[in-house]
Amino acid sequence: MYQMSATVPPSTDSSSKEDRLKQYLLDRAKDGEMYFKSKFIADDVGLSPKEIGALMVKLRDSATDLTIEKWSYTSATTWRVETA
């Protein structure tokens, strides 16, 4: 008997997380720039602050429709995002 696995392959899972975060950022930054700390948007995007931080570094290099930069570090990284 064939059983389907309930786990999602890592590549699909990470790309969907990245897509979900990117869409969230595009929606929030559409009227200008936004500043945030990962811990404050974690619940909104369903990711941990650590996952968000890792994905932000990836998106900074790959997302051509967003400008992403580390803005400051005070107890956690503050990110600045605007649509490109």
Side-chain angles (χ1 to χ4, degrees):
M1 179 175 208
Y2 177 76
Q3 287 185 318
M4 290 181 53
S5 173
T7 60
V8 177
S11 60
T12 303
D13 189 40
S14 68
S15 65
S16 66
K17 288 178 181 182
E18 187 173 334
D19 292 342
R20 190 165 69 226
L21 179 57
K22 181 179 175 185
Q23 190 57 55
Y24 176 87
L25 296 174
L26 284 168
D27 291 345
R28 297 298 169 125
K30 67 182 173 199
D31 296 325
E33 62 189 14
M34 71 175 280
Y35 297 83
F36 71 92
K37 290 182 187 260
S38 299
K39 63 184 176 183
F40 295 127
I41 69 163
D43 287 341
D44 293 345
V45 294
L47 300 169
S48 72
K50 188 175 182 177
E51 287 175 307
I52 293 170
L55 289 171
M56 289 301 290
V57 172
K58 288 175 65 176
L59 284 173
R60 184 176 53 190
D61 297 332
S62 66
T64 57
D65 44 357
L66 289 170
T67 301
I68 298 171
E69 63 182 296
K70 281 187 175 183
W71 190 252
S72 70
Y73 187 92
T74 313
S75 75
T77 300
T78 298
W79 295 95
R80 179 185 173 277
V81 178
E82 69 179 332
T83 52

